[in-house]
Amino acid sequence: MKRSEVDVSKLSPMMKQYLDIKKDYENELLFYRVGDFYELFFEDGETAARELELTLTGKNAGLEERVPMCGVPFHAVKPYIEKLVSKGFKVAICDQLEDPKLAKGMVTRGVTQVISKGTVVDLELLNDHDNHYIASILDFSYIYTICYADISTGSIFVSILPHQREKLLSTILNLGILEVVLKNNEDLELIALLKGTYGIEVSFSSEELENDYAYIYESLEEEHYIHTVKHLLYYLVVKELKVLSHMKSVEVIIPDDYLEMDIHTVRNLELIETLRLKDRTYSLIWLIDKTKTSMGSRKLKFWLMNPLKNQSLIEERYNKIETLNNEFILKENLRNSLYQIYDMERLCGKISCGSLNARDLLQLKLSLKELPTIKKIVKELGFDMEINTHQDIYELLEQSIHENPPITLKEGYLIKEGYNKELDELKGIRSGGKDFIANFESKLKEETGIKNLKVGFNKVFGYFIEITKGQIANVPSSLHWERRQTLTGAERYISPELKEKEALILNAEEKIIDLEYNLFMEIRETIKKQILKLKDTANLIAELDAITALSVVAEECHFVRPTLNQEHKIDIKNGRHPVIEKVSNYDYVANDCVMDSSIHTLLITGPNMSGKSTFMRQLAVIVILAQMGSFVPAEKANLPIIDKIFTRIGASDDLVSGESTFMVEMKEAKNAICNATENSLILFDELGRGTSTYDGMSLAGSILEYVSKEIGCKTLFSTHYHELTVMERKIPSVKNIHVSAEEENGTITFLHKIKSGAVDKSYGIHVARLAGLPDVVIKNAQKMLEEFEGKNKKTTHENEQIQFCMDFENEKEDPIKEKLKKIDPLRLTPMEALNILYEITNEMNKK
């Protein structure tokens, strides 16, 4: 049965109310509160029953046929919502807006919140280590603007990106954005990529929020930023009914301030997850995350994904790590205090969004309790951090919140005795009432002589007097008891005195629950007024925790403070890959990496499995650690400031888009050579292997030469095309190095040590033997290799016939094209456009 097929005039009043509310939430699954359950009807009920594996039942709603329905208990709704949201559904929560006991007629109901992938705020549904971002993206034809926010922490950022699909996707994936809000569905290719390929929820909204929450964007001057922020705010506030009072003013992220890494680089270097298992364990963040708080863990991840380019800011972090390393006792005391801090950022989010319970306030109190100790340690360390201890909030919570409160807010036992006089009086009545019941039972036993007489309570009859059947005759008629219930072996009575006291006790209990709830709401509102100050403190604690973690990992893994230079040179003594060193069962072989200002490219040869890829990754990891402000795994390191890192490592087809290994290789190579500057770092691992030998060798040689001559950035280029090693003689900025191995009696030993010069063997057959291929296959391969090498010697003489050098002088860009590239037609007046056209025409006529 569908909603559209129903005769509304025949429906019950409750179902009419449901349909009226559902009209505004066509794309959401509406959880409609009925008593102790959330119920879903019609198509929503069928969908939820299928996805949650619930029984689909029916409900009488005034029609001949029962309406399809399924339901879940309201107190256990969270796991069901989590499951639906993770599958890409949006959920609208429709609550009872008044107490059913006080309602006159139909209970008023309304949607209180909408939950989607990017707007979950419940701590139980969130990952401690990761931000939970939702983003708005606006396309201005020549640029993209992106505003992304984490509702659970109240952080919000805005940035401008070039109008390049690859950079937009890299940004979205690197940030781990879960939901994207677009103005319309015109860009079908982008929508298909986000939803189909990457599993990112896509929503649509064309409106912008006016006036409300203006403080978030009032400091912005760039109109593009303002429109994008207002676009996201409208979706969050109007469409998803979010309260954003915990959000601070938006932070502008300027990509040029940070080392740029595309999604391929992040994945190839396994910064936040491993390539094979897509797991955090054994990634770089797994190694360096020694934080004690969830806030610190997220901050450290942000630093790792956004390494700095400002040398003074980097050095500032080095100085703090050095101080912590020297003051090891203070550092240990600091870590012990940080361990007591709960996730204050997300607690602030819960306070603002109204999903807070008394246990959350207890966590906030315990966190605030540690702040004076942390403030004292920070002062002794000499750090420029002013920690607000929020003593007033701590004292309020210490005086008010019960030490062991229930999860829900309607069970009582939220507020301590001594906080509110009226509440204490009511609790006195309740306590006295219970004493009365005990005394009343003793008194009746004495008066009647019935020793097994009991005074009990149940929700149906209230307080009662229970007498066994054999003792009924002993009940004096003068007591005026009234029979209420007959049991198999007993009778239950009530008395006027008992009913009078019952009314007093039960009224007190009800009033206590209501009063405690109201007092709790007042406390929450008091704290809410200081929410932004609490967030500032949480941010400082996160920074402190992150820098302390870097100090710990520097000590445990023997990292050293790097030196930064402006001479475009790399000088690493005994560098190591920290993750491989940590997990390896063997002694790690450290290697130097030396590239002075005249050397742009290291051409790396050596056997398979010898460690070429590890050496390349090792350099990139050291650079990233250094620029995020961390010490590095080396004996000594002198590094330049790198602006971008590009990697082409590993071979894989892109099955989703139908692209071959070679096409993926060429696209990633193109991305590097078109976007790299002289201050970039490029890692090319065996480029060209996805096609035929001579095709691959020619392209690899040409790319190597272009990067070395035309870009001049630091490049590590590993290859099995030994013919390319001749380039060292033709291009002064290219240097040959190799990973050494020893061969003895047909057995190869990998030394994993980098040495100068080239090698002319790949030892591929030896590696195949180590892999356990059958002997007959190995012997046959050896025979074929000898035949191929014999033929090759007849046709070439020491590679002299292969030419790689190209004349780039004849490939210079047309100056008119260069001029056109720099013009932004959307910013020109008509007169300026005519003048430029006139100038270009004159230049072409002169040619």
Side-chain angles (χ1 to χ4, degrees), residues 604-607 722 725 736-741 757-763:
I604 312 166
T605 49
H722 300 114
T725 57
N736 284 328
I737 60 173
H738 70 278
V739 189
S740 57
V759 294
D760 57 3
K761 288 187 71 176
S762 291
Y763 300 98

Side-chain angles (χ1 to χ4, degrees), residues 193-289:
L193 278 170
L194 292 173
K195 292 188 74 170
T197 307
Y198 300 113
I200 296 168
E201 182 67 25
V202 178
S203 302
F204 302 99
S205 171
S206 58
E207 303 293 325
E208 295 180 9
L209 189 69
E210 300 295 341
N211 303 321
D212 290 352
Y213 299 108
Y215 74 91
I216 292 175
Y217 54 83
E218 64 186 0
S219 61
L220 300 176
E221 295 180 1
E222 172 62 59
E223 284 295 319
H224 298 96
Y225 287 152
I226 294 171
H227 286 303
T228 314
V229 175
K230 288 164 77 173
H231 180 244
L232 180 60
L233 292 179
Y234 180 87
Y235 180 79
L236 294 175
V237 174
V238 179
K239 294 268 191 176
E240 302 246 323
L241 306 175
K242 301 301 177 189
V243 178
L244 305 178
S245 56
H246 63 305
M247 271 196 178
K248 292 199 67 178
S249 57
V250 65
E251 182 179 341
V252 177
I253 298 293
I254 300 171
D256 282 348
D257 289 346
Y258 303 97
L259 188 160
E260 181 183 319
M261 301 179 288
D262 62 18
I263 189 61
H264 306 295
T265 298
V266 172
R267 287 178 176 171
N268 287 333
L269 298 177
E270 298 184 306
L271 297 186
I272 55 175
E273 65 179 19
T274 56
L275 276 168
R276 181 173 294 180
L277 299 177
K278 306 295 181 189
D279 192 56
R280 193 176 196 265
T281 304
Y282 304 133
S283 66
L284 184 59
I285 189 68
W286 164 79
L287 179 84
I288 67 172
D289 191 354

Side-chain angles (χ1 to χ4, degrees), residues 115-134:
I115 304 170
S116 57
K117 263 191 181 181
T119 58
V120 176
V121 293
D122 282 312
L123 301 188
E124 297 86 353
L125 309 182
L126 297 171
N127 184 327
D128 289 343
H129 302 296
D130 300 324
N131 281 104
H132 206 82
Y133 287 129
I134 179 173

Side-chain angles (χ1 to χ4, degrees), residues 89-151:
F89 294 99
K90 292 182 181 179
V91 172
I93 305 296
C94 179
D95 281 316
Q96 295 173 166
L97 302 181
E98 60 180 336
D99 190 334
K101 295 176 186 175
L102 305 175
K104 294 179 180 178
M106 175 67 62
V107 176
T108 304
R109 293 180 176 88
V111 173
T112 54
Q113 62 172 319
V114 178
I115 304 170
S116 57
K117 263 191 181 181
T119 58
V120 176
V121 293
D122 282 312
L123 301 188
E124 297 86 353
L125 309 182
L126 297 171
N127 184 327
D128 289 343
H129 302 296
D130 300 324
N131 281 104
H132 206 82
Y133 287 129
I134 179 173
S136 164
I137 296 170
L138 297 188
D139 185 347
F140 288 97
S141 298
Y142 57 95
I143 57 167
Y144 289 112
T145 53
I146 179 169
C147 175
Y148 51 99
D150 183 345
I151 309 302

Side-chain angles (χ1 to χ4, degrees), residues 510-773:
E510 196 171 311
K511 285 179 180 178
I512 285 169
I513 290 173
D514 289 341
L515 182 55
E516 286 203 347
Y517 177 80
N518 292 333
L519 290 171
F520 180 86
M521 291 296 113
E522 287 176 13
I523 293 165
R524 193 188 75 182
E525 288 304 311
T526 301
I527 297 171
K528 196 172 178 180
K529 291 173 184 175
Q530 297 196 48
I531 204 85
L532 296 182
K533 290 180 180 178
L534 281 168
K535 276 189 67 14
D536 285 339
T537 302
N539 186 55
L540 284 176
I541 296 297
E543 286 187 14
L544 194 59
D545 194 17
I547 207 73
T548 307
L550 293 179
S551 169
V552 171
V553 79
E555 255 186 347
E556 290 182 357
C557 300
H558 309 292
F559 288 8
V560 298
R561 177 172 180 156
T563 303
L564 303 177
N565 68 73
Q566 302 294 328
E567 288 82 52
H568 199 51
K569 66 180 182 182
I570 295 173
D571 184 4
I572 298 172
K573 177 74 172 172
N574 286 329
R576 313 182 307 275
H577 192 297
V579 179
I580 296 175
E581 181 184 33
K582 179 78 173 177
V583 302
S584 177
N585 295 322
Y586 305 99
D587 289 338
Y588 188 87
V589 178
N591 276 299
D592 299 346
C593 182
V594 181
M595 301 174 77
D596 61 30
S597 54
S598 65
I599 298 297
H600 299 155
T601 304
L602 293 181
L603 183 58
I604 312 166
T605 49
N608 288 304
M609 286 181 59
S610 61
K612 298 190 299 295
S613 298
T614 298
F615 176 72
M616 298 170 77
R617 287 185 172 100
Q618 173 180 305
L619 173 60
V621 165
I622 287 173
V623 166
I624 291 166
L625 285 171
Q627 289 186 218
M628 74 175 283
S630 169
F631 285 13
V632 299
E635 191 178 303
K636 183 185 74 173
N638 191 348
L639 303 165
I641 299 290
I642 298 295
D643 65 353
K644 302 174 186 178
I645 297 180
F646 300 94
T647 64
R648 172 55 216 165
I649 299 173
S652 60
D653 297 348
D654 188 344
L655 298 177
V656 175
S657 59
E659 293 178 345
S660 67
T661 297
F662 186 64
M663 176 58 83
V664 172
E665 269 193 285
M666 291 300 101
K667 281 193 168 184
E668 291 182 16
K670 169 246 179 185
N671 181 44
I673 63 179
C674 290
N675 292 294
T677 72
E678 63 177 351
N679 295 318
S680 301
L681 173 64
I682 295 178
L683 309 180
F684 280 150
D685 189 15
E686 297 183 31
L687 197 65
R689 62 182 158 182
T691 186
S692 69
T693 302
Y694 290 111
D695 269 359
M697 182 165 43
S698 303
L699 280 164
S702 181
I703 290 170
L704 171 59
E705 187 170 353
Y706 183 87
V707 169
S708 301
K709 282 185 172 181
E710 298 301 302
I711 301 175
C713 64
K714 298 301 184 189
T715 304
L716 299 190
F717 198 109
S718 75
T719 187
H720 283 295
Y721 298 133
H722 300 114
E723 295 85 350
L724 297 182
T725 57
V726 70
M727 286 189 151
E728 183 185 59
R729 301 198 301 271
K730 298 183 178 182
I731 306 174
S733 63
V734 175
K735 179 183 177 182
N736 284 328
I737 60 173
H738 70 278
V739 189
S740 57
E742 287 184 353
E743 184 183 2
E744 187 176 349
N745 299 325
T747 303
I748 186 170
T749 303
F750 300 118
L751 302 179
H752 304 297
K753 198 68 182 175
I754 297 292
K755 295 183 178 178
S756 294
V759 294
D760 57 3
K761 288 187 71 176
S762 291
Y763 300 98
I765 292 176
H766 296 80
V767 175
R769 183 181 285 114
L770 287 174
L773 263 67

Side-chain angles (χ1 to χ4, degrees), residues 305-348:
M305 296 296 288
N306 298 274
L308 300 166
K309 285 161 61 177
N310 185 312
Q311 185 168 342
S312 64
L313 294 178
I314 297 171
E315 297 278 3
E316 190 179 312
R317 290 182 190 170
Y318 291 165
N319 292 338
K320 286 178 179 172
I321 292 171
E322 205 157 54
T323 301
L324 286 163
N325 286 350
N326 293 333
E327 299 286 352
F328 54 89
I329 295 176
L330 286 176
K331 178 172 73 175
E332 197 56 36
N333 292 339
L334 177 59
R335 295 189 79 213
N336 290 336
S337 286
L338 288 169
Y339 186 65
Q340 306 301 320
I341 304 285
Y342 288 85
D343 197 338
M344 288 175 62
E345 279 186 332
R346 285 183 168 160
L347 287 173
C348 288

Side-chain angles (χ1 to χ4, degrees), residues 353-476:
C353 296
S355 58
L356 191 81
N357 62 34
R359 293 186 184 183
D360 294 324
L361 284 185
L362 205 58
Q363 289 183 358
L364 180 61
K365 185 191 83 171
L366 294 172
S367 300
L368 298 180
K369 185 179 180 181
E370 292 298 321
L371 294 184
T373 304
I374 292 174
K375 181 173 184 174
K376 182 183 175 189
I377 294 172
V378 166
K379 189 175 181 181
E380 290 181 47
L381 288 168
F383 290 174
D384 184 21
M385 290 180 169
E386 189 57 46
I387 307 289
N388 185 342
T389 59
H390 303 283
Q391 198 62 28
D392 53 340
I393 297 178
Y394 173 75
E395 288 174 2
L396 170 64
L397 295 176
E398 174 65 18
Q399 293 165 11
S400 61
I401 302 300
H402 200 281
E403 295 297 342
N404 189 26
I407 295 175
T408 65
L409 302 179
K410 290 289 190 176
E411 295 179 40
Y413 300 98
L414 300 177
I415 307 297
K416 283 181 177 179
E417 290 182 12
Y419 178 71
N420 181 273
K421 187 177 179 181
E422 183 185 352
L423 181 62
D424 290 345
E425 288 174 358
L426 288 169
K427 286 182 177 179
I429 293 171
R430 180 177 65 184
S431 176
K434 288 178 180 176
D435 293 339
F436 164 80
I437 297 302
N439 294 332
F440 186 64
E441 184 178 290
S442 299
K443 177 184 150 188
L444 288 180
K445 285 179 179 179
E446 198 171 308
E447 286 181 0
T448 62
I450 304 171
K451 300 303 180 186
N452 61 357
L453 176 150
K454 289 191 298 186
V455 176
F457 173 84
N458 67 32
K459 289 185 178 180
V460 177
F461 295 107
Y463 286 99
F464 56 81
I465 304 161
E466 185 174 295
I467 306 289
T468 59
K469 289 277 175 90
Q471 297 289 339
I472 294 173
N474 297 327
V475 177

